[in-house]
Amino acid sequence: MKRTSRDIRTANRYEVLRQIIAGSPVSRQELAAATGLSLATVATLVGELLDLRMITEVGFEDSAGGRPRGLVAVDASGGALVGVDIAETYVHVELFDLALNVLARAEEEVRPGESRPERVVGQVAAAVGSVVARAGIGADRVLGVGVSVPGQVDRDTGVAAYAPNLDWHGVPLLDLLAEHLAQPLYLDNPLRACTVAELWFGAARGRGDAVVVNLGTGVGAGLALGGGLHRGVSNSAGEWGHTTLVLDGRPCHCGNHGCVETYVGAPGIMQNIRELDPGSALLHPADQTATVDALARAVAAGDPVALKVVRETARYLGAGISDLVNLLNPQVVVLSSWVASRLGEPLLDEVRAAVARHALRRPLAATEIVLSPIPTDPVSLGAATFALEGALQGAGQRSRATAARGRAVAGAPPA
Amino acid sequence: MKRTSRDIRTANRYEVLRQIIAGSPVSRQELAAATGLSLATVATLVGELLDLRMITEVGFEDSAGGRPRGLVAVDASGGALVGVDIAETYVHVELFDLALNVLARAEEEVRPGESRPERVVGQVAAAVGSVVARAGIGADRVLGVGVSVPGQVDRDTGVAAYAPNLDWHGVPLLDLLAEHLAQPLYLDNPLRACTVAELWFGAARGRGDAVVVNLGTGVGAGLALGGGLHRGVSNSAGEWGHTTLVLDGRPCHCGNHGCVETYVGAPGIMQNIRELDPGSALLHPADQTATVDALARAVAAGDPVALKVVRETARYLGAGISDLVNLLNPQVVVLSSWVASRLGEPLLDEVRAAVARHALRRPLAATEIVLSPIPTDPVSLGAATFALEGALQGAGQRSRATAARGRAVAGAPPA
Ligand SMILES: [Zn+2]
Ligand SMILES: [Zn+2]
């Protein structure tokens, strides 16, 4: 809970770099105005980022009557970041420059029964090697590798504590990866990766408080409060999917009943279809993706059952999102992940209407509900952002000490 | 969302004074260790608090082999703070020294139909005058007056936006009070007052993330996240009472159905009694307080219906608190307000059992559920704490500028 001066410097460094990424080229004066920091503080932080070669001086702009102002911009060639998205059926790896443009992608398939940690780690290492080679970048210019793995993770120790769909229990993932990769490594889960991606590059950027609602097979709500990720005391905040929407309702795999996830996760949506039209042609019983795709196509074609399913799903989702609005009073609620992106605007419209019926007037008036604007895989982007944050956390030190920062430092608890 | 350097200095000042109040007398070295701030930062902040006469040097302690270390303590006589709790049926005013000991109390009755703003403002002014006079303190030594009023408040403008039980709409409360009182004035509502009281002086002190569950006629959850109050983007976060526990359940005065409040607020508990035993002698139909008191006495006497009512209430409450645990992953959940304090340990035990059944294992393991340890009226204490925070926000400036800080500054948005 204690914000130390170092935590605060780190948070300010994030904010300054975020503004530079958003607005390159930009002057120190503009950065001071945008961040609320003093010009002296901005100048110090910009100096650290220049030392780190993350940004570069790119010329001057005239200021009315005064001295020309120096402009800085992200140094896209100043380093690279890797984001790794380990999912149940694939390993997806992206290499980014420091403006978070994708330089190269690689994907490896994880087949059922082939998710042994050593095997997956080998796939990750091969994919990382491949993207680095294809981008023609020296491995020493990769500032860090961020890894997302589903379920509960212990980021300080780099352990995947519990990933049921991979059948992983207490896997020391970063230790295993460190046998293959020399870069600083960072671990977290997809919910927090998507949230950080929205915070840096998406709909939560510059917003005071934001909630990122992830709609996939599982469901969660990443909380970006006060400009930073709210992790909770044991890094497990955001389990909105397992909050009660219907006391004594549908059974959930968590052991509880009536969880939000059982109504609005992909299997929950399949159940909604079954309840409205048991023999529906929309249903592909063993295939969530095919079902959601069929639903999206049927909605586009104006199919009345499909419209009813979306309306009913939105009724549940709207009630659950209203709870988040009433409890947290966020400035924006972002609908993210594959179910949200496939159902898109029709779902969004119904959700907005349902929230308007449920939420209290005052927080409702302050909240906007949007679809995620991130065009690429937000999990890889967010994982790479963890590596970016890790690199920034060491700034200021780095210019004074040449020792490479290892994972022990990278995993230090944040503000 | 932007934390400016000034916001950060203010937050650090809060933290240092909190530690001094908790541990007087204390050395700068101990404060640095407790807060994680550098000794130089602590020395600066201690200097500002000394300038403000909020703390005082109280001698030295030996340090093994080193120079004796100067000790500081709260200067109880260095100023006073007033907390005002405007409720539906009374106005309660307490005067505190800077260690937040109560120096004097006053109470005025608000009778039905007599809650016109001008009338209540007159009562508040009279009660404030009375406690100041009785404590024998110069009015100029009162650093600020914090006012809590139920419902929605706009703290920046000092307006009670909507207090249904007082029938107040858009009452410019602080402007009205400023005609009677010369001190800086601060406005907020009871939920946030109780939360700040727990954060500074109660079960949330020193905890990373805490939730203060207020159980009264209405129900709310004050969120103390990252060591500070989470207000949300329009200062209305915490409306947990109006989150859905039973979709399409009991009707709520907010227009929604199945809200948490309709099951665990005092009228909700009366409904629980009715459903379990329609003719119960526990019911005092027009009197919530008498009913809850009767319930508490019957539980103490081992009455089986009363035990069933508490168990059923705890089942609802436990499901709702599990939602908070899963979503926010707090270190502590504090049960506060009059219903919680009257039902006490028997309710707490049942709630703990219910949360253990509902919540996910990882956040559950990190969470403690406790009754509020604050022995006095937490609303007055919290209101006075808003005045204390206001006085601290101006520190550092004050030593440079002698102009009294008015409400315009006091109401500036915080970090
Ligand atoms: Zn569940
Ligand atoms: Zn309600």
Side-chain angles (χ1 to χ4, degrees), chain A residues 196-221:
Chain A
V196 165
E198 294 294 340
L199 193 54
W200 276 80
F201 309 106
R205 185 170 65 192
R207 303 304 185 95
D209 298 305
V211 178
V212 179
V213 168
N214 259 46
L215 296 174
T217 305
V219 166

Side-chain angles (χ1 to χ4, degrees), chain A residues 48-64:
Chain A
E48 290 172 359
L49 294 170
L50 287 166
D51 285 352
L52 285 169
R53 295 175 48 200
M54 286 184 165
I55 64 172
T56 181
E57 306 266 14
V58 292
F60 296 88
E61 68 173 5
D62 290 334
S63 72

Side-chain angles (χ1 to χ4, degrees), chain B residues 180-212:
Chain B
H180 301 265
L181 300 172
Q183 295 88 0
L185 302 171
Y186 306 86
L187 180 68
D188 217 314
N189 79 5
L191 176 64
R192 284 183 286 274
C194 287
T195 306
V196 164
E198 294 294 339
L199 193 55
W200 276 79
F201 309 105
R205 185 170 65 192
R207 304 304 185 94
D209 298 306
V211 177
V212 179

Side-chain angles (χ1 to χ4, degrees), chain A residues 204-366:
Chain A
R205 185 170 65 192
R207 303 304 185 95
D209 298 305
V211 178
V212 179
V213 168
N214 259 46
L215 296 174
T217 305
V219 166
L223 310 179
L225 306 179
L229 184 60
H230 173 71
R231 297 182 169 279
V233 69
S234 57
N235 196 34
S236 74
E239 291 286 1
W240 174 68
H242 301 287
T243 62
T244 301
L245 186 59
V246 184
L247 196 73
D248 305 324
R250 293 183 186 167
C252 180
H253 63 85
C254 78
N256 208 342
H257 282 77
C259 291
V260 169
E261 183 169 301
T262 63
Y263 296 89
V264 305
I269 293 174
M270 292 171 75
Q271 182 62 23
N272 298 343
I273 297 174
R274 256 178 239 117
E275 290 187 0
L276 284 166
D277 181 12
S280 173
L282 299 170
L283 278 170
H284 296 62
D287 193 336
Q288 299 170 20
T289 319
T291 304
V292 172
D293 279 340
L295 179 60
R297 280 193 308 268
V299 167
D303 175 66
V305 172
L307 291 169
K308 241 193 206 162
V309 169
V310 168
R311 192 163 302 136
E312 181 71 358
T313 301
R315 188 173 82 92
Y316 294 123
L317 189 52
I321 289 175
S322 297
D323 293 351
L324 295 170
V325 168
N326 288 352
L327 183 65
L328 297 169
N329 189 199
Q331 199 171 359
V332 64
V333 176
V334 188
L335 304 186
S336 174
S337 198
W338 65 271
V339 171
S341 72
R342 279 166 212 233
L343 296 179
E345 295 286 342
L347 178 70
L348 178 67
D349 291 344
E350 293 288 346
V351 166
R352 283 177 172 157
V355 172
R357 288 195 303 272
H358 278 97
L360 297 175
R361 222 170 44 186
R362 190 178 170 94
L364 177 67

Side-chain angles (χ1 to χ4, degrees), chain A residues 78-257:
Chain A
L81 301 159
V82 174
V84 177
D85 173 8
I86 300 177
E88 297 150 38
T89 56
Y90 61 83
V91 169
H92 185 80
V93 174
E94 296 192 355
L95 182 79
F96 298 87
D97 67 19
L98 288 184
L100 278 295
N101 300 305
V102 179
L103 301 180
R105 290 191 174 87
E107 186 151 319
E108 303 258 337
E109 194 184 348
V110 177
R111 267 183 286 246
E114 296 188 349
S115 67
R116 267 190 317 111
E118 292 73 15
R119 188 184 160 92
V120 172
V121 161
Q123 291 179 300
V124 169
V128 171
S130 155
V131 291
V132 171
R134 274 190 288 137
I137 278 184
D140 61 322
R141 285 311 294 155
V142 176
L143 302 179
V145 177
V147 180
S148 162
V149 70
Q152 294 167 5
V153 301
D154 189 336
R155 53 197 285 274
D156 293 351
T157 59
V159 170
Y162 181 47
N165 296 319
L166 291 162
D167 197 25
W168 287 7
H169 302 259
V171 172
L173 189 63
L174 294 198
D175 283 345
L176 294 172
L177 269 172
E179 293 172 15
H180 301 265
L181 299 173
Q183 294 88 0
L185 302 171
Y186 306 86
L187 180 68
D188 218 312
N189 78 5
L191 176 64
R192 284 184 286 275
C194 287
T195 306
V196 165
E198 294 294 340
L199 193 54
W200 276 80
F201 309 106
R205 185 170 65 192
R207 303 304 185 95
D209 298 305
V211 178
V212 179
V213 168
N214 259 46
L215 296 174
T217 305
V219 166
L223 310 179
L225 306 179
L229 184 60
H230 173 71
R231 297 182 169 279
V233 69
S234 57
N235 196 34
S236 74
E239 291 286 1
W240 174 68
H242 301 287
T243 62
T244 301
L245 186 59
V246 184
L247 196 73
D248 305 324
R250 293 183 186 167
C252 180
H253 63 85
C254 78
N256 208 342
H257 282 77

Side-chain angles (χ1 to χ4, degrees), chain A residues 2 34 234 238 242 244 323 326-327, chain B residues 2 34 238 242 244 323 326-327:
Chain A
K2 292 147 200 157
S234 57
H242 301 287
T244 301
D323 293 351
N326 288 352
L327 183 65
Chain B
K2 292 150 202 153
H242 301 287
T244 301
D323 293 350
N326 287 352
L327 182 65

Side-chain angles (χ1 to χ4, degrees), chain B residues 54-90:
Chain B
M54 286 184 164
I55 63 172
T56 180
E57 306 265 12
V58 291
F60 294 88
E61 70 174 2
D62 289 335
S63 73
R67 283 192 303 168
R69 294 168 162 182
L71 296 172
V72 294
V74 174
D75 186 354
S77 66
L81 301 158
V82 174
V84 177
D85 173 8
I86 299 176
E88 297 150 39
T89 56
Y90 60 83

